[in-house]
């Protein structure tokens, strides 16, 4: 990426106030193993984190604003939003999917990938991030009536815009592109092969992102995006393309995020007889009454309970992580104190 006006990438006065004197501002456009591509006013820089920041566990993701000196990132500016998930596997570390995002598009195709329970999980993650979620249902040209599935999404994505699009016919694409005004950053999140890169190519107006033909057996595209990348669109607007996500485990999700994603159930909870109701067996439970009447589906109720259990596990994990971090800081202070004492001797 050549040198550009940083204002087009979202640079503003608030960010400038947080930049250390003498450092050049830049935005991270790609993250590689051990290196970062940073867009600055003078061009793209392949930069690295110094050992101290790595040791301190400083997390840098695509979309972050940083202060650089030469080819070294010296500071990471405060984020206005960050979409995090628990890293895949048994690790207890977080992974930044995108930072400083305004709008997060949950992309799923109208085909074998369609699953409303997965959409609920994405919505919880996005509400917690500080970004605003919207749902994008792709490949509408392959269905005679996509609106029935769209109605299923609207039933669980309470108050969230739902876009039905086709990158082949152009249906809904102009309205979706209009959401990316100059200075607005959006991220595309979803499984492999749902058409995220195809949408980026349509927004850019050329084959910028590699895509592959759909598979014959399940009508889904094959995974091509291998890393997260920030792209400045012609006419303004920024989009972050991401690889397909096989799993999305919550990370530090708060009750407020679940409440936003399950606003219909939270409204029922407020009407329960007991404030400590588990919403499973207690008398006077408004949630159970809604299940019996059919107002609330058992599938959505089970999904809500499952996410609540995950949040409790996250809280316990977070407490243990904080204890480890405090122990590490204490050990570091002890080492530094010993080093100063030896130096004085």
């Amino acid at each position: 990426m050549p040198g550009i006006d940083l204002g087009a990438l979202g640079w503003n006065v608030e960010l400038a106030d947080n930049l250390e004197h003498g450092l050049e501002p830049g935005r991270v456009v790609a993250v590689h193993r051990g290196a970062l591509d940073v867009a600055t006013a003078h061009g793209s820089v392949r930069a690295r984190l110094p050992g101290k920041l790595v040791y301190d566990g400083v997390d840098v993701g695509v979309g972050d604003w940083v202060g650089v000196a030469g080819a070294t990132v010296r500071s990471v500016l405060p984020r206005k939003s960050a979409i995090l998930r628990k890293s895949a596997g048994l690790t207890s570390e977080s992974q930044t999917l995108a930072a400083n995002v305004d709008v997060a598009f949950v992309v799923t195709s109208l085909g074998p990938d369609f699953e409303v329970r997965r959409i609920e999980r994405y919505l919880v993650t996005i509400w917690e991030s500080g970004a605003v979620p919207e749902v994008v249902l792709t490949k509408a040209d392959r269905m005679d009536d996509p609106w029935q599935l769209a109605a299923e999404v609207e039933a669980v994505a309470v108050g969230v815009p739902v876009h039905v699009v086709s990158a082949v016919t152009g249906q809904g694409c102009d309205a979706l592109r209009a959401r990316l005004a100059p200075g607005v950053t959006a991220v595309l999140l979803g499984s492999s092969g749902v058409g995220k890169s195809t949408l980026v190519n349509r927004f850019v107006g050329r084959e910028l992102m590699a895509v592959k033909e759909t598979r014959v057996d399940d009508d889904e595209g094959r995974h091509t995006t291998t890393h997260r990348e920030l792209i400045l669109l012609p006419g303004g607007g920024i989009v972050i393309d991401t690889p397909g996500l096989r799993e999305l485990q919550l990370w530090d999700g708060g009750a407020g995020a679940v409440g936003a994603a399950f606003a219909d159930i939270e409204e029922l909870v407020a009407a329960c007889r007991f404030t400590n109701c588990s919403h499973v067996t207690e008398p006077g439970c408004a949630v159970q009454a809604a299940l019996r009447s059919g107002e609330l589906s058992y599938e959505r109720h089970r999904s809500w309970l499952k996410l609540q259990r995950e949040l409790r596990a996250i809280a316990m994990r977070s407490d243990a992580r904080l204890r480890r971090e405090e122990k590490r800081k204490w050990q570091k202070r002890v080492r530094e104190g010993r080093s100063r004492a030896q130096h004085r001797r």
Side-chain angles (χ1 to χ4, degrees), residues 268 271-274 277-290 292 301:
L268 292 170
C272 285
R273 178 186 300 176
F274 305 111
C277 181
S278 69
H279 317 295
V280 177
T281 59
E282 288 86 347
C285 176
V287 175
Q288 288 296 314
R292 290 191 295 270
H301 179 242

Side-chain angles (χ1 to χ4, degrees), residues 221-240:
R222 289 178 290 171
H223 168 73
T224 51
T225 302
T226 58
H227 63 280
R228 296 167 191 84
E229 183 174 352
L230 183 147
I231 300 151
L232 179 61
L233 301 177
I238 305 114
V239 65
I240 298 174

Side-chain angles (χ1 to χ4, degrees), residues 121-165:
R121 179 173 293 271
Y122 274 100
L123 292 176
V124 171
T125 298
I126 294 167
W127 281 123
E128 178 64 16
S129 74
V132 175
E134 300 190 13
V135 179
V136 180
L137 304 178
T138 62
K139 306 183 183 182
D141 56 287
R142 297 180 182 174
M143 296 192 69
D144 293 332
D145 181 16
W147 303 107
Q148 181 176 354
L149 293 181
E152 291 184 27
V153 175
E154 290 173 340
V156 301
V158 181
V160 175
V162 177
H163 306 268
V164 177
V165 306

Side-chain angles (χ1 to χ4, degrees), residues 18-315:
N18 285 282
L19 181 67
E20 184 180 338
H21 179 71
L23 297 181
E24 181 177 12
R27 195 168 192 190
V28 177
V29 298
V31 176
H32 309 283
R33 188 179 298 275
L36 311 167
D37 287 341
V38 180
T40 74
H42 298 97
S44 183
V45 176
R46 177 63 60 91
R48 296 183 180 276
L49 283 174
K52 182 181 184 303
L53 293 186
V54 174
Y55 179 82
D56 290 341
V58 173
D59 179 37
V60 183
V62 174
D64 266 319
W65 285 96
V66 296
V68 298
T72 303
V73 172
R74 295 297 182 185
S75 67
V76 182
L77 277 61
R79 295 166 166 174
K80 67 178 179 181
S81 66
I83 299 176
L84 306 176
R85 71 164 178 174
K86 178 183 175 295
S87 295
L90 300 178
T91 177
S92 61
E93 301 298 323
S94 66
Q95 180 185 33
T96 300
L97 300 178
N100 296 308
V101 170
D102 300 297
V103 181
F105 291 126
V106 179
V107 185
T108 188
S109 63
L110 292 164
D113 181 72
F114 183 82
E115 175 54 64
V116 293
R117 302 283 82 84
R118 184 191 301 118
I119 292 173
E120 288 171 340
R121 179 173 293 271
Y122 274 100
L123 292 176
V124 171
T125 298
I126 294 167
W127 281 123
E128 178 64 16
S129 74
V132 175
E134 300 190 13
V135 179
V136 180
L137 304 178
T138 62
K139 306 183 183 182
D141 56 287
R142 297 180 182 174
M143 296 192 69
D144 293 332
D145 181 16
W147 303 107
Q148 181 176 354
L149 293 181
E152 291 184 27
V153 175
E154 290 173 340
V156 301
V158 181
V160 175
V162 177
H163 306 268
V164 177
V165 306
S166 168
V168 174
T169 67
Q171 175 185 345
C173 289
D174 288 343
L176 191 62
R177 174 64 180 88
R179 295 290 295 116
L180 303 175
V184 171
T185 299
V187 63
L188 303 177
L189 301 170
S191 304
S192 297
V194 297
K196 300 187 297 295
S197 295
T198 302
L199 281 174
V200 173
N201 288 338
R202 186 173 184 92
F203 294 156
V204 174
R206 59 186 177 90
E207 294 296 314
L208 177 66
M209 311 301 292
V211 296
K212 293 183 179 179
E213 295 180 356
T214 57
R215 295 186 296 258
V216 175
D217 55 345
D218 61 7
D219 201 34
E220 291 298 286
R222 289 178 290 171
H223 168 73
T224 51
T225 302
T226 58
H227 63 280
R228 296 167 191 84
E229 183 174 352
L230 183 147
I231 300 151
L232 179 61
L233 301 177
I238 305 114
V239 65
I240 298 174
D241 192 17
T242 65
L245 298 174
R246 292 186 180 90
E247 60 178 338
L248 183 65
Q249 297 189 49
L250 302 183
W251 178 261
D252 286 347
V258 174
F262 290 84
D264 52 340
I265 297 183
E266 293 298 317
E267 185 175 347
L268 292 170
V269 167
C272 285
R273 178 186 300 176
F274 305 111
T275 57
N276 61 344
C277 181
S278 69
H279 317 295
V280 177
T281 59
E282 288 86 347
C285 176
V287 175
Q288 288 296 314
L291 287 170
R292 290 191 295 270
S293 70
E295 177 186 352
L296 176 65
S297 73
Y298 283 94
E299 292 80 7
R300 183 157 171 80
H301 179 242
R302 282 194 294 269
S303 178
W304 177 70
L305 290 176
K306 180 180 179 181
L307 290 171
Q308 294 283 2
R309 289 193 296 270
E310 286 191 36
L311 288 177
R312 287 193 290 270
I314 288 170

